[in-house]
Amino acid sequence: MKFFRRVREKLILDNRNIRYIKYAIGEIILVVIGILIALQINNWNQSIEDKKSLDEYLIKIKYLTLEDIDQLDKLSKGRKQIADLCKKARNSILNKTENENLFLFKISGAAFVDFYFKPNSGGYESLKNSEYYGKINNTTLDSLLTKYHGLVDIIAENERSYNQYTVHQENYLDTQVDRSLILASAFMSLDSLAVKATPHAEYDQAFIEYTAKPAYRNVISLAAWQFDTMIEQYYQLTDLGHLIIKEIDATTAD
């Protein structure tokens, strides 16, 4: 009898131990689930904060890109006007009608003006140097931004090459021609010139000699064809800018 009593007591004790173990395991599982939920909530909150920060960078890039597009539009129109003048002047040279188109040659001197596209890359550089750039890595937006700023560098090099050439040619012209009459007729009113001792014909003759110089005509000829290339690059950059803005709108709307 004592033997069977001990067996029953052992079974009861074992049953209690099993219940305790089950209870302990249940508590551990609940704690683990609670930790996992807390981590998930924390990750979710962090994800929201990260997206908010990324969106701020992207919105800044968007508005700076809009400013770039506006600047590109003005540059395109300005260069096109000058290019059209220079093409007419070039045709006049080929047709040997320069003296008949003196005013055209005068205003074609706008080809010497050094225009530069000045993009604001601050937003893009800030994003690249931030911890959030990786969130757009290998995305369509990343590819568009890389292409955009790659083309910005190409445009900058082309503009620098052209502008340095025109400065060199203008500096050379300054050593070859007395531009006092040219500058006077360009910046003084006709009434002011009329009371001067120099007759009007001499101003025109000074322009004829000046615009006949190879350095002057070289710049006109270069602008006549190179501006088309520059303008096409401005258009390409504008198209990329619009695609970037569209992609940013889609990304920040999520």
Side-chain angles (χ1 to χ4, degrees), residues 72 75-76 79-80 83-84 87 90 151 154-159 161-162 221-238:
L72 288 165
L75 276 171
S76 298
R79 286 205 185 275
K80 187 177 185 310
D84 289 344
K87 288 174 184 177
R90 181 184 58 188
L151 185 53
I154 292 172
I155 288 173
E157 180 56 36
N158 288 342
E159 288 181 333
S161 176
Y162 174 84
S221 297
L222 182 61
W225 68 268
Q226 186 163 342
F227 275 19
D228 287 343
T229 301
M230 290 182 177
I231 293 168
E232 178 59 30
Q233 289 175 340
Y234 293 158
Y235 288 159
Q236 291 174 7
L237 195 62
T238 297

Short mmCIF file of all heavy atoms in Angstrom, two decimals, residues 72 75-76 79-80 83-84 87 90 151 154-159 161-162 221-238:
data_model
loop_
_atom_site.label_atom_id
_atom_site.label_comp_id
_atom_site.label_asym_id
_atom_site.label_seq_id
_atom_site.Cartn_x
_atom_site.Cartn_y
_atom_site.Cartn_z
N LEU A 72 17.18 77.19 -67.03
CA LEU A 72 17.48 76.56 -68.33
C LEU A 72 16.60 77.12 -69.42
O LEU A 72 17.05 77.31 -70.56
CB LEU A 72 17.28 75.05 -68.22
CG LEU A 72 18.33 74.28 -67.41
CD1 LEU A 72 17.84 72.88 -67.09
CD2 LEU A 72 19.66 74.22 -68.16
N LEU A 75 18.03 80.52 -70.34
CA LEU A 75 19.29 80.34 -71.07
C LEU A 75 19.04 79.85 -72.49
O LEU A 75 19.69 80.32 -73.44
CB LEU A 75 20.18 79.33 -70.33
CG LEU A 75 21.04 79.86 -69.18
CD1 LEU A 75 21.68 78.69 -68.44
CD2 LEU A 75 22.11 80.82 -69.69
N SER A 76 18.11 78.91 -72.64
CA SER A 76 17.79 78.38 -73.97
C SER A 76 17.30 79.48 -74.88
O SER A 76 17.73 79.59 -76.04
CB SER A 76 16.74 77.27 -73.86
OG SER A 76 17.21 76.19 -73.09
N ARG A 79 20.26 82.03 -75.64
CA ARG A 79 21.25 81.48 -76.58
C ARG A 79 20.65 81.31 -77.97
O ARG A 79 21.34 81.48 -78.96
CB ARG A 79 21.79 80.16 -76.05
CG ARG A 79 22.76 80.32 -74.88
CD ARG A 79 23.71 79.15 -74.78
NE ARG A 79 24.57 79.20 -73.62
CZ ARG A 79 25.72 79.86 -73.55
NH1 ARG A 79 26.14 80.56 -74.60
NH2 ARG A 79 26.46 79.83 -72.45
N LYS A 80 19.37 80.95 -78.04
CA LYS A 80 18.74 80.78 -79.35
C LYS A 80 18.68 82.11 -80.11
O LYS A 80 18.93 82.16 -81.32
CB LYS A 80 17.34 80.20 -79.22
CG LYS A 80 16.70 79.85 -80.57
CD LYS A 80 15.35 79.23 -80.41
CE LYS A 80 14.80 78.78 -81.76
NZ LYS A 80 14.86 79.83 -82.81
N ALA A 83 22.15 82.77 -81.28
CA ALA A 83 22.50 81.82 -82.33
C ALA A 83 21.86 82.21 -83.66
O ALA A 83 22.49 82.13 -84.72
CB ALA A 83 22.09 80.41 -81.94
N ASP A 84 20.60 82.63 -83.61
CA ASP A 84 19.89 83.04 -84.84
C ASP A 84 20.57 84.25 -85.48
O ASP A 84 20.72 84.32 -86.72
CB ASP A 84 18.43 83.36 -84.53
CG ASP A 84 17.61 82.12 -84.20
OD1 ASP A 84 18.08 81.00 -84.51
OD2 ASP A 84 16.51 82.27 -83.63
N LYS A 87 23.88 83.08 -87.05
CA LYS A 87 23.67 82.32 -88.29
C LYS A 87 23.43 83.28 -89.46
O LYS A 87 23.93 83.07 -90.57
CB LYS A 87 22.48 81.38 -88.13
CG LYS A 87 22.78 80.18 -87.23
CD LYS A 87 21.55 79.35 -86.98
CE LYS A 87 21.85 78.21 -86.00
NZ LYS A 87 20.64 77.42 -85.69
N ARG A 90 26.74 84.87 -90.24
CA ARG A 90 27.59 83.91 -90.95
C ARG A 90 27.18 83.83 -92.43
O ARG A 90 28.05 83.81 -93.32
CB ARG A 90 27.48 82.54 -90.30
CG ARG A 90 28.35 81.47 -90.95
CD ARG A 90 28.10 80.12 -90.31
NE ARG A 90 26.71 79.72 -90.40
CZ ARG A 90 26.18 78.65 -89.78
NH1 ARG A 90 26.95 77.92 -88.99
NH2 ARG A 90 24.91 78.35 -89.91
N LEU A 151 24.98 65.10 -66.56
CA LEU A 151 24.78 66.02 -67.67
C LEU A 151 25.10 67.45 -67.25
O LEU A 151 25.61 68.24 -68.06
CB LEU A 151 23.34 65.93 -68.19
CG LEU A 151 22.99 66.76 -69.43
CD1 LEU A 151 23.96 66.48 -70.58
CD2 LEU A 151 21.55 66.46 -69.88
N ILE A 154 28.70 67.88 -67.83
CA ILE A 154 29.02 68.00 -69.26
C ILE A 154 28.71 69.40 -69.76
O ILE A 154 29.50 70.01 -70.49
CB ILE A 154 28.22 66.95 -70.07
CG1 ILE A 154 28.72 65.54 -69.73
CG2 ILE A 154 28.35 67.21 -71.57
CD1 ILE A 154 27.89 64.43 -70.33
N ILE A 155 27.55 69.93 -69.37
CA ILE A 155 27.16 71.29 -69.76
C ILE A 155 28.16 72.30 -69.23
O ILE A 155 28.56 73.23 -69.95
CB ILE A 155 25.74 71.60 -69.25
CG1 ILE A 155 24.70 70.81 -70.06
CG2 ILE A 155 25.44 73.10 -69.33
CD1 ILE A 155 23.29 70.91 -69.52
N ALA A 156 28.56 72.14 -67.98
CA ALA A 156 29.51 73.07 -67.37
C ALA A 156 30.83 73.08 -68.15
O ALA A 156 31.42 74.15 -68.38
CB ALA A 156 29.76 72.70 -65.92
N GLU A 157 31.28 71.91 -68.57
CA GLU A 157 32.53 71.82 -69.32
C GLU A 157 32.40 72.48 -70.69
O GLU A 157 33.30 73.20 -71.13
CB GLU A 157 32.94 70.36 -69.47
CG GLU A 157 34.25 70.16 -70.24
CD GLU A 157 35.42 70.91 -69.64
OE1 GLU A 157 35.49 71.02 -68.40
OE2 GLU A 157 36.28 71.40 -70.41
N ASN A 158 31.29 72.25 -71.37
CA ASN A 158 31.07 72.86 -72.69
C ASN A 158 30.98 74.38 -72.59
O ASN A 158 31.55 75.11 -73.41
CB ASN A 158 29.80 72.31 -73.32
CG ASN A 158 29.95 70.87 -73.79
OD1 ASN A 158 31.08 70.39 -73.95
ND2 ASN A 158 28.86 70.18 -74.00
N GLU A 159 30.27 74.87 -71.58
CA GLU A 159 30.15 76.32 -71.40
C GLU A 159 31.51 76.93 -71.05
O GLU A 159 31.86 78.00 -71.57
CB GLU A 159 29.14 76.62 -70.29
CG GLU A 159 27.71 76.36 -70.68
CD GLU A 159 26.74 76.69 -69.56
OE1 GLU A 159 27.13 76.62 -68.38
OE2 GLU A 159 25.58 77.02 -69.87
N SER A 161 34.46 75.80 -71.85
CA SER A 161 35.30 75.77 -73.04
C SER A 161 34.96 76.92 -73.98
O SER A 161 35.85 77.63 -74.48
CB SER A 161 35.14 74.43 -73.75
OG SER A 161 35.87 74.42 -74.96
N TYR A 162 33.66 77.11 -74.22
CA TYR A 162 33.23 78.18 -75.14
C TYR A 162 33.57 79.56 -74.56
O TYR A 162 34.12 80.42 -75.25
CB TYR A 162 31.72 78.08 -75.40
CG TYR A 162 31.20 79.24 -76.22
CD1 TYR A 162 31.29 79.23 -77.61
CD2 TYR A 162 30.64 80.37 -75.60
CE1 TYR A 162 30.84 80.30 -78.37
CE2 TYR A 162 30.19 81.44 -76.35
CZ TYR A 162 30.29 81.40 -77.73
OH TYR A 162 29.85 82.48 -78.47
N SER A 221 31.00 82.58 -85.81
CA SER A 221 30.85 81.28 -86.49
C SER A 221 30.71 80.14 -85.48
O SER A 221 29.93 79.21 -85.69
CB SER A 221 32.06 81.03 -87.40
OG SER A 221 32.12 82.01 -88.42
N LEU A 222 31.48 80.22 -84.37
CA LEU A 222 31.40 79.17 -83.37
C LEU A 222 30.02 79.17 -82.70
O LEU A 222 29.41 78.11 -82.52
CB LEU A 222 32.48 79.38 -82.31
CG LEU A 222 32.55 78.32 -81.20
CD1 LEU A 222 32.83 76.94 -81.77
CD2 LEU A 222 33.61 78.71 -80.17
N ALA A 223 29.54 80.37 -82.37
CA ALA A 223 28.23 80.46 -81.72
C ALA A 223 27.12 79.97 -82.63
O ALA A 223 26.12 79.41 -82.17
CB ALA A 223 27.97 81.91 -81.29
N ALA A 224 27.27 80.17 -83.93
CA ALA A 224 26.23 79.81 -84.89
C ALA A 224 25.90 78.32 -84.86
O ALA A 224 24.75 77.93 -85.11
CB ALA A 224 26.66 80.22 -86.30
N TRP A 225 26.91 77.49 -84.54
CA TRP A 225 26.61 76.05 -84.51
C TRP A 225 26.70 75.45 -83.11
O TRP A 225 25.96 74.54 -82.76
CB TRP A 225 27.53 75.28 -85.46
CG TRP A 225 28.97 75.23 -85.07
CD1 TRP A 225 29.95 76.07 -85.44
CD2 TRP A 225 29.58 74.26 -84.20
NE1 TRP A 225 31.16 75.71 -84.87
CE2 TRP A 225 30.95 74.60 -84.11
CE3 TRP A 225 29.11 73.14 -83.51
CZ2 TRP A 225 31.85 73.87 -83.33
CZ3 TRP A 225 30.01 72.41 -82.74
CH2 TRP A 225 31.36 72.78 -82.66
N GLN A 226 27.61 75.97 -82.27
CA GLN A 226 27.78 75.35 -80.95
C GLN A 226 26.60 75.65 -80.02
O GLN A 226 26.28 74.84 -79.14
CB GLN A 226 29.08 75.81 -80.30
CG GLN A 226 29.37 75.06 -78.99
CD GLN A 226 30.80 75.18 -78.54
OE1 GLN A 226 31.68 75.54 -79.31
NE2 GLN A 226 31.05 74.91 -77.27
N PHE A 227 25.95 76.81 -80.22
CA PHE A 227 24.82 77.13 -79.35
C PHE A 227 23.69 76.10 -79.53
O PHE A 227 22.96 75.82 -78.59
CB PHE A 227 24.31 78.53 -79.65
CG PHE A 227 25.06 79.61 -78.91
CD1 PHE A 227 26.32 79.36 -78.37
CD2 PHE A 227 24.51 80.86 -78.74
CE1 PHE A 227 27.02 80.34 -77.70
CE2 PHE A 227 25.20 81.86 -78.06
CZ PHE A 227 26.46 81.60 -77.54
N ASP A 228 23.55 75.57 -80.73
CA ASP A 228 22.52 74.54 -80.95
C ASP A 228 22.79 73.32 -80.08
O ASP A 228 21.86 72.73 -79.52
CB ASP A 228 22.49 74.12 -82.43
CG ASP A 228 21.86 75.19 -83.32
OD1 ASP A 228 21.18 76.08 -82.78
OD2 ASP A 228 22.05 75.13 -84.55
N THR A 229 24.06 72.95 -79.96
CA THR A 229 24.43 71.82 -79.10
C THR A 229 24.13 72.12 -77.65
O THR A 229 23.59 71.29 -76.91
CB THR A 229 25.93 71.49 -79.26
OG1 THR A 229 26.20 71.17 -80.63
CG2 THR A 229 26.33 70.31 -78.38
N MET A 230 24.49 73.33 -77.21
CA MET A 230 24.22 73.73 -75.83
C MET A 230 22.73 73.72 -75.53
O MET A 230 22.29 73.22 -74.49
CB MET A 230 24.80 75.12 -75.57
CG MET A 230 26.30 75.21 -75.55
SD MET A 230 26.82 76.89 -75.18
CE MET A 230 28.61 76.69 -75.14
N ILE A 231 21.95 74.30 -76.44
CA ILE A 231 20.51 74.37 -76.25
C ILE A 231 19.90 72.98 -76.17
O ILE A 231 19.02 72.72 -75.34
CB ILE A 231 19.85 75.19 -77.38
CG1 ILE A 231 20.29 76.66 -77.28
CG2 ILE A 231 18.33 75.09 -77.32
CD1 ILE A 231 19.93 77.49 -78.49
N GLU A 232 20.37 72.06 -77.00
CA GLU A 232 19.87 70.69 -76.97
C GLU A 232 20.18 70.04 -75.62
O GLU A 232 19.35 69.31 -75.06
CB GLU A 232 20.50 69.88 -78.10
CG GLU A 232 20.09 68.40 -78.13
CD GLU A 232 18.60 68.19 -78.26
OE1 GLU A 232 17.92 69.05 -78.87
OE2 GLU A 232 18.10 67.17 -77.74
N GLN A 233 21.36 70.33 -75.08
CA GLN A 233 21.70 69.79 -73.76
C GLN A 233 20.83 70.40 -72.67
O GLN A 233 20.45 69.72 -71.71
CB GLN A 233 23.18 70.03 -73.47
CG GLN A 233 24.11 69.17 -74.32
CD GLN A 233 25.57 69.50 -74.11
OE1 GLN A 233 25.92 70.58 -73.63
NE2 GLN A 233 26.44 68.59 -74.46
N TYR A 234 20.50 71.69 -72.81
CA TYR A 234 19.58 72.32 -71.86
C TYR A 234 18.22 71.61 -71.89
O TYR A 234 17.61 71.38 -70.85
CB TYR A 234 19.38 73.80 -72.20
CG TYR A 234 20.60 74.68 -72.03
CD1 TYR A 234 20.70 75.89 -72.71
CD2 TYR A 234 21.64 74.33 -71.18
CE1 TYR A 234 21.79 76.72 -72.56
CE2 TYR A 234 22.74 75.15 -71.02
CZ TYR A 234 22.81 76.35 -71.73
OH TYR A 234 23.90 77.18 -71.57
N TYR A 235 17.75 71.31 -73.10
CA TYR A 235 16.47 70.61 -73.25
C TYR A 235 16.52 69.22 -72.61
O TYR A 235 15.57 68.80 -71.95
CB TYR A 235 16.10 70.49 -74.73
CG TYR A 235 15.68 71.78 -75.40
CD1 TYR A 235 15.74 71.91 -76.79
CD2 TYR A 235 15.24 72.87 -74.66
CE1 TYR A 235 15.36 73.11 -77.42
CE2 TYR A 235 14.88 74.06 -75.28
CZ TYR A 235 14.94 74.17 -76.66
OH TYR A 235 14.57 75.34 -77.27
N GLN A 236 17.61 68.52 -72.84
CA GLN A 236 17.76 67.17 -72.26
C GLN A 236 17.75 67.24 -70.73
O GLN A 236 17.11 66.40 -70.06
CB GLN A 236 19.06 66.53 -72.74
CG GLN A 236 19.07 66.17 -74.22
CD GLN A 236 20.44 65.67 -74.67
OE1 GLN A 236 21.35 65.46 -73.87
NE2 GLN A 236 20.59 65.49 -75.97
N LEU A 237 18.44 68.24 -70.18
CA LEU A 237 18.49 68.38 -68.73
C LEU A 237 17.10 68.76 -68.19
O LEU A 237 16.70 68.28 -67.12
CB LEU A 237 19.52 69.45 -68.34
CG LEU A 237 19.93 69.47 -66.86
CD1 LEU A 237 20.58 68.15 -66.45
CD2 LEU A 237 20.87 70.63 -66.57
N THR A 238 16.39 69.60 -68.92
CA THR A 238 15.03 69.97 -68.52
C THR A 238 14.12 68.75 -68.48
O THR A 238 13.34 68.57 -67.53
CB THR A 238 14.46 71.02 -69.50
OG1 THR A 238 15.26 72.21 -69.43
CG2 THR A 238 13.02 71.38 -69.13
#
